[in-house]
Amino acid sequence: MVDGIHVVYVKNRYSNYMSPWRKVLSFLNFVRLATQAAMKEKGVDMVYATSTPLTVGAIALFLRRMRGWRYVFEVRDLWPEFPIQIGAVRNPVLISMLRWLERRIYQRAEHIVALSPGMKEGVVKAGTPAEKVSMIPNMSKPDEFWAREKNEEIARQFGIDITKFNVIHFGSMGPANGLSYMIEAAKCLKDRGDDTVRFIFMGSGATEPVIKKQAEQYGLKNVSFIGRQPMTVVSEVVNLCDASITTFLNLPVLQTNSPNKLFDSLSAEKPIIVNSAGWTKEMVEKNDCGFFADPEKPSDLADQLLRYKDDKKTLERWGKNARRLSVEVYDKDILTVQVAEVIEKASARLTTC
């Protein structure tokens, strides 16, 4: 039981370190296991299928056909556009099949929830009526991330020098995150003789050993890796830092992303740094809670960090605006109501049919 919800786990191996084909096999195995588990359920009124990957929608399609269970589909990444643009899927036949599956899932859904304006646009471009799609972004967690006195014991445990300007990236460290961008920015700062800015990586993923090696080759002392940690520790470490950064490769599909770490950072009252020229850039600039750095120029990130690191007034304003945004717009207590309304309206339509 998790927050009053009965959660059924299936034993399926998955890791960010897997090769693309091993991931595909893992996805397909999850389809099999999850379908078997779902078929045992009784008294189902509605299925809420949340990607990624797209194959989660295939489970919903199967259950609709076999059991007549209608579903709402949540799009957390644009599939297959995401794996196509990063080069993970290149076979024309496979791409055609995945696009067909995407359209089919959207067509058969009672309603679709997209996590960003760009994702909604992508769903509509696939042939879905706009009125069938609601944009409900990821949710902030103000009760788990908040500004408070810095925990010096945690700082000592992870070797974080709180007298420096610490910029943190936490969460997934996959290819899409483009984390070498931060390593190059760190090198720029080193080359300029700066010793005041630190980059902290907290999390794990396939690119972690790659950027660790890159940092070692550059001889960087302004970069540290503290691995994957429990959420309570993540919250403490984020609170120790001075700004939070969310980076992605410079690809159109990644400009639609709705990353959890960004919303957690808003709650933590941290200035937000983004390098994706999509809706997150607009959000940060419109709400005056951080800055955008050119994804093709790590030197731009270095320049702006040097410009703002000692500007206490601006940093404090950005942090306050970030917290306000998390509470007034993205709080889970607000957005879960919107999700519930989507499900209730979809269910009500079925009842009247």
Side-chain angles (χ1 to χ4, degrees):
M1 298 300 295
V2 179
D3 294 336
I5 300 171
H6 180 214
V7 179
V8 179
Y9 290 88
V10 296
K11 293 182 179 181
N12 182 57
R13 291 181 62 83
Y14 179 80
S15 168
N16 194 261
Y17 293 91
M18 287 180 172
S19 67
W21 281 111
R22 286 190 65 193
K23 287 182 179 179
V24 168
L25 292 176
S26 177
F27 295 160
L28 293 176
N29 194 46
F30 179 76
V31 170
R32 179 181 66 84
L33 295 172
T35 301
Q36 290 174 351
M39 290 288 283
K40 297 176 183 177
E41 298 295 320
K42 298 178 180 179
V44 175
D45 299 305
M46 179 74 67
V47 171
Y48 192 86
T50 174
S51 70
T52 58
L54 186 66
T55 43
V56 172
I59 301 170
L61 277 175
F62 181 82
L63 294 173
R64 177 178 172 128
R65 180 172 182 177
M66 299 302 295
R67 290 293 181 89
W69 297 344
R70 305 299 181 93
Y71 66 91
V72 171
F73 188 62
E74 181 182 74
V75 178
R76 290 194 286 140
D77 273 320
L78 284 175
W79 276 62
E81 199 59 36
F82 169 66
I84 291 172
Q85 287 197 22
I86 67 170
V89 178
R90 300 178 183 178
N91 185 288
V93 176
L94 181 56
I95 289 174
S96 179
M97 291 172 59
L98 289 173
R99 291 200 188 281
W100 175 87
L101 179 61
E102 177 192 29
R103 292 192 297 271
R104 185 66 172 172
I105 290 169
Y106 295 161
Q107 289 167 0
R108 301 296 283 170
E110 298 303 312
H111 200 80
I112 297 165
V113 173
L115 265 60
S116 77
M119 289 184 201
K120 179 177 180 178
E121 182 180 342
V123 173
V124 172
K125 281 185 177 179
T128 310
E131 62 271 16
K132 190 178 176 179
V133 189
S134 297
M135 198 290 286
I136 305 176
N138 265 328
M139 306 173 190
S140 63
K141 299 187 282 290
D143 55 339
E144 294 186 35
F145 290 84
W146 72 99
R148 54 201 185 273
E149 185 176 348
K150 294 185 177 182
N151 189 325
E152 294 186 7
E153 182 179 343
I154 291 289
R156 285 192 295 272
Q157 179 182 343
F158 293 106
I160 299 172
D161 185 348
I162 59 177
T163 67
K164 305 296 184 181
F165 188 87
N166 293 295
V167 180
I168 187 164
H169 179 283
F170 60 102
S172 176
M173 299 173 69
N177 298 110
L179 296 178
S180 63
Y181 173 82
M182 291 176 60
I183 301 298
E184 294 294 339
K187 182 177 183 296
C188 286
L189 291 169
K190 175 197 172 187
D191 292 344
R192 297 176 191 183
D194 176 77
D195 188 43
T196 62
V197 178
R198 295 285 188 273
F199 291 98
I200 299 173
F201 293 89
M202 180 166 53
S204 63
T207 60
E208 181 182 7
V210 176
I211 61 172
K212 276 185 175 180
K213 184 176 181 180
Q214 186 181 4
E216 290 172 3
Q217 289 175 337
Y218 287 159
L220 300 180
K221 304 298 183 183
N222 55 354
V223 174
S224 61
F225 298 84
I226 58 179
R228 188 174 180 178
Q229 304 295 332
M231 184 61 71
T232 53
V233 176
V234 173
S235 179
E236 291 285 3
V237 173
V238 171
N239 185 61
L240 288 171
C241 296
D242 301 285
S244 177
I245 185 168
T246 302
T247 65
F248 287 105
L249 293 175
N250 190 23
L251 296 173
V253 69
L254 295 178
Q255 295 175 10
T256 70
N257 267 9
S258 183
N260 279 318
K261 63 177 72 70
L262 186 147
F263 297 92
D264 292 340
S265 301
L266 291 174
S267 296
E269 205 168 305
K270 298 300 171 185
I272 308 298
I273 305 169
V274 297
N275 77 336
S276 179
W279 80 289
T280 56
K281 174 180 183 291
E282 180 182 351
M283 181 190 76
V284 166
E285 294 180 341
K286 180 180 177 181
N287 293 281
D288 190 28
C289 58
F291 67 81
F292 165 80
D294 189 328
E296 297 297 333
K297 295 180 179 178
S299 60
D300 184 46
L301 173 59
D303 290 341
Q304 297 200 65
L305 286 172
L306 292 177
R307 182 184 309 145
Y308 292 117
K309 67 182 179 66
D310 296 319
D311 188 347
K312 304 299 182 184
K313 185 176 180 180
T314 297
L315 294 171
E316 182 178 3
R317 184 180 75 248
W318 284 344
K320 295 295 183 184
N321 287 341
R323 177 69 183 185
R324 175 190 53 77
L325 194 60
S326 79
V327 172
E328 295 180 2
V329 180
Y330 298 116
D331 191 309
K332 64 181 184 299
D333 290 339
I334 297 172
L335 298 183
T336 50
V337 171
Q338 295 179 25
V339 175
E341 287 176 351
V342 166
I343 296 172
E344 288 170 356
K345 287 179 181 178
S347 181
R349 288 195 298 270
L350 297 180
T351 304
T352 57
C353 290

